[in-house]
Amino acid sequence: MEEEGDPPSKDQISLQSVEQEERIYMDCNATTPLEPAVIEAITEALQDAWGNPSSNYPPGTKAKNIINQARENIAKMVGGRADDIILMSGGTEANNFVFHTAIKYFWDTWGKSGLNGGKTGHLNAEGVLPHIISSNVEHDSIKLTADNLQKEKRAEVTFVPVSKVTGRVEVDDVLAAIRPTTCLISIMLANNETGVLMPISKICRRVRALTECRLEPRILLHTDAAQAIGKVQVNTQELGVDYLTIVGHKFYAPRIGALYVRGPGSTSPVFPMFFGGGQERNFRPGTENTPMIAGLGKAAELVNRNLDQYEAHLRATRDYLEERLEAVFGKEKVHFNSHFKGTQILPNTCNVSFLGPKLQGRMVLSRCRRLLASVGAACHSDRGDRPSHILLSCGIPPTVAANALRLSVGRGTSRQDVDRAVEDLREAVLQLEGGC
């Protein structure tokens, strides 16, 4: 008899290996595995660039060179300059950084605006407060940051609802929400559950045209591009944003991130959240995490080189997945929650519901033997069988939203994977409907 804690036997290891090989991963909007080249870059940095990047001896110089090259690759990926990139721990920090900067900037410039004195600004019982506009389908690192600012009476926030027809934020609704005290508009570039691409370039263009004669505080423009990078072209110059959030683990890099800032400290304001040793030009001090930065830079280099190929593969695979779902289940049995007429979506995202009273998304996944997927955002996994508020906001009926699965394919997803995943789903649905 095996005792608890004994190492697994050869037979167990063999069985585990077979089971692991059979797994089909379709949750790339939650996170992606590291590319082999990224692992190699991280490993090399761990071995050879262990020195402090602020030191002048060889291991430190190598670390500094790796960081500089990574910054160049990241900047190229989003159409910016190396000086526009501030390296951070991830997307949550970057998003919080932007909100922190916007509030500080508002109070730094409010006295120069000609709007102070309590006569023109939007008032509450406490007096004038900075105003922020966002959408009602943002990631929690945006939503909860905004909620907390409101709770602490440090800002007022308008969450513009997405259209139930298009699934996206409409430009006119954003413009209608602008006040004299508006200091920040933060709208995601692509939604993590539906894959809907937001009209960021149109929003930025219209906002700048509307406020071109406005004195400070000007309206700062930010987009969280976590889901879009590595799947579609992301160019900050075309988008017209002041800030753009970059999240490594969504495009085969490690869990680290960066923030694009258009001319940090000159064109666009920057107010650091931390204070320390002066790294990142004092914008984000702290000794740099060289290995993870190396991985982020290598992943960006791969996107720069191969984006067209990646996008074409993702789109073809996702389209094949939807074709197979319709062929196997029938059009009357499936509802694609990510399909909105006239709206562009990410090439890899399929949000689908199987219609039926016993087919809640979590129940379907629990019966799958191979498929690894989710019912929505990974950060909402504790919400049980409650329908996604994202889907409800987009006009999906509650009974349909409760049955939703988010299938997000990746660079390595093959047609064979799709066939096996659809078969897995077919068996799961049959079990649930048969009461097995």
Side-chain angles (χ1 to χ4, degrees):
M1 176 182 291
E2 291 183 359
E3 298 293 334
E4 185 176 352
D6 283 350
S9 67
K10 290 182 179 180
D11 289 341
Q12 287 175 317
I13 292 173
S14 177
L15 179 59
Q16 289 169 1
S17 298
V18 170
E19 289 177 346
Q20 189 66 31
E21 287 176 6
E22 290 180 347
R23 295 294 189 179
I24 305 155
Y25 184 69
M26 289 190 178
D27 203 16
C28 289
N29 284 7
T31 198
T32 52
L34 299 185
E35 285 275 15
V38 171
I39 296 174
E40 184 178 345
I42 293 171
T43 303
E44 180 182 343
L46 284 167
Q47 292 174 335
D48 301 332
W50 49 266
N52 192 312
S54 299
S55 302
N56 292 325
Y57 41 74
T61 301
K62 186 172 182 62
K64 189 68 173 178
N65 290 339
I66 287 174
I67 292 169
N68 289 341
Q69 184 58 59
R71 200 187 307 276
E72 291 279 356
N73 291 339
I74 297 163
K76 182 178 179 181
M77 181 176 66
V78 297
R81 304 170 307 151
D83 287 347
D84 295 331
I85 302 300
I86 303 174
L87 297 164
M88 297 193 168
S89 63
T92 295
E93 182 189 349
N95 289 340
N96 276 263
F97 185 99
V98 171
F99 277 66
H100 169 81
T101 285
I103 298 299
K104 296 279 285 184
Y105 166 71
F106 176 85
W107 291 118
D108 216 35
T109 57
W110 177 248
K112 307 170 188 176
S113 67
L115 297 175
N116 59 327
K119 296 181 179 179
T120 309
H122 185 84
L123 303 178
N124 64 10
E126 305 295 326
V128 174
L129 287 178
H131 175 240
I132 294 168
I133 298 172
S134 192
S135 83
N136 67 339
V137 296
E138 297 293 318
H139 186 270
D140 275 356
S141 61
I142 295 288
K143 181 184 182 301
L144 297 184
T145 300
D147 284 343
N148 190 62
L149 288 171
Q150 287 197 109
K151 181 180 178 181
E152 294 182 350
K153 294 183 170 31
R154 294 174 56 203
E156 294 180 315
V157 183
T158 299
F159 292 103
V160 175
V162 295
S163 165
K164 287 179 167 50
V165 176
T166 65
R168 65 175 182 249
V169 175
E170 297 300 336
V171 180
D172 288 342
D173 292 337
V174 174
L175 296 178
I178 292 175
R179 305 172 183 171
T181 51
T182 302
C183 63
L184 174 67
I185 297 176
S186 177
I187 307 288
M188 63 184 4
L189 185 51
N191 185 264
N192 50 312
E193 291 193 28
T194 63
V196 166
L197 291 166
M198 303 295 177
I200 301 301
S201 60
K202 291 181 180 178
I203 291 172
C204 292
R205 194 161 56 246
R206 292 280 300 279
V207 168
R208 294 197 192 282
L210 182 68
T211 61
E212 59 183 354
C213 297
R214 172 174 168 168
L215 298 174
E216 290 188 311
R218 68 183 176 90
I219 299 176
L220 305 174
L221 301 166
H222 167 244
T223 190
D224 180 348
Q227 290 296 337
I229 289 175
K231 301 169 188 170
V232 295
Q233 184 69 48
V234 175
N235 187 297
T236 53
Q237 308 310 306
E238 295 175 2
L239 292 172
V241 292
D242 299 300
Y243 309 91
L244 181 139
T245 296
I246 300 162
V247 180
H249 74 99
K250 306 295 188 181
F251 62 100
Y252 296 80
R255 291 183 173 91
I256 188 173
L259 180 68
Y260 161 87
V261 182
R262 186 187 301 275
S266 54
T267 304
S268 301
V270 172
F271 290 92
M273 295 171 66
F274 309 134
F275 298 90
Q279 295 86 355
E280 292 298 293
R281 294 155 288 167
N282 282 313
F283 298 142
R284 203 281 188 182
T287 303
E288 300 91 338
N289 188 347
T290 306
M292 297 302 103
I293 294 170
L296 184 65
K298 176 56 71 171
E301 179 186 330
L302 294 174
V303 170
N304 293 334
R305 192 188 310 155
N306 303 313
L307 179 60
D308 289 346
Q309 176 185 331
Y310 293 156
E311 183 175 358
H313 172 76
L314 293 174
R315 192 177 306 280
T317 306
R318 191 274 315 277
D319 290 349
Y320 180 67
L321 170 62
E322 294 188 348
E323 290 169 9
R324 293 301 302 147
L325 288 170
E326 283 193 341
V328 170
F329 291 94
K331 291 186 178 182
E332 71 285 349
K333 185 73 173 179
V334 295
H335 183 274
F336 293 112
N337 306 312
S338 45
H339 288 189
F340 298 91
K341 188 175 181 180
T343 296
Q344 292 182 313
I345 63 174
L346 291 172
N348 80 315
T349 304
C350 168
N351 195 304
V352 63
S353 294
F354 299 111
L355 304 181
K358 300 179 181 179
L359 303 180
Q360 288 80 17
R362 201 172 299 277
M363 293 299 296
V364 171
L365 284 181
S366 71
R367 297 298 180 103
C368 288
R369 295 185 299 114
R370 304 180 186 89
L371 177 63
L372 301 176
S374 66
V375 297
C379 53
H380 296 162
S381 60
D382 61 339
R383 298 186 182 178
D385 290 324
R386 282 179 288 173
S388 160
H389 79 278
I390 302 291
L391 297 183
L392 296 178
S393 297
C394 294
I396 305 300
T399 54
V400 177
N403 290 17
L405 297 175
R406 183 186 67 179
L407 306 176
S408 45
V409 302
R411 298 173 190 174
T413 310
S414 66
R415 288 196 168 207
Q416 182 183 25
D417 292 331
V418 169
D419 291 337
R420 292 163 62 206
V422 172
E423 176 60 21
D424 209 16
L425 288 166
R426 188 188 70 81
E427 292 175 0
V429 168
L430 283 175
Q431 286 182 29
L432 288 168
E433 291 187 321
C436 299

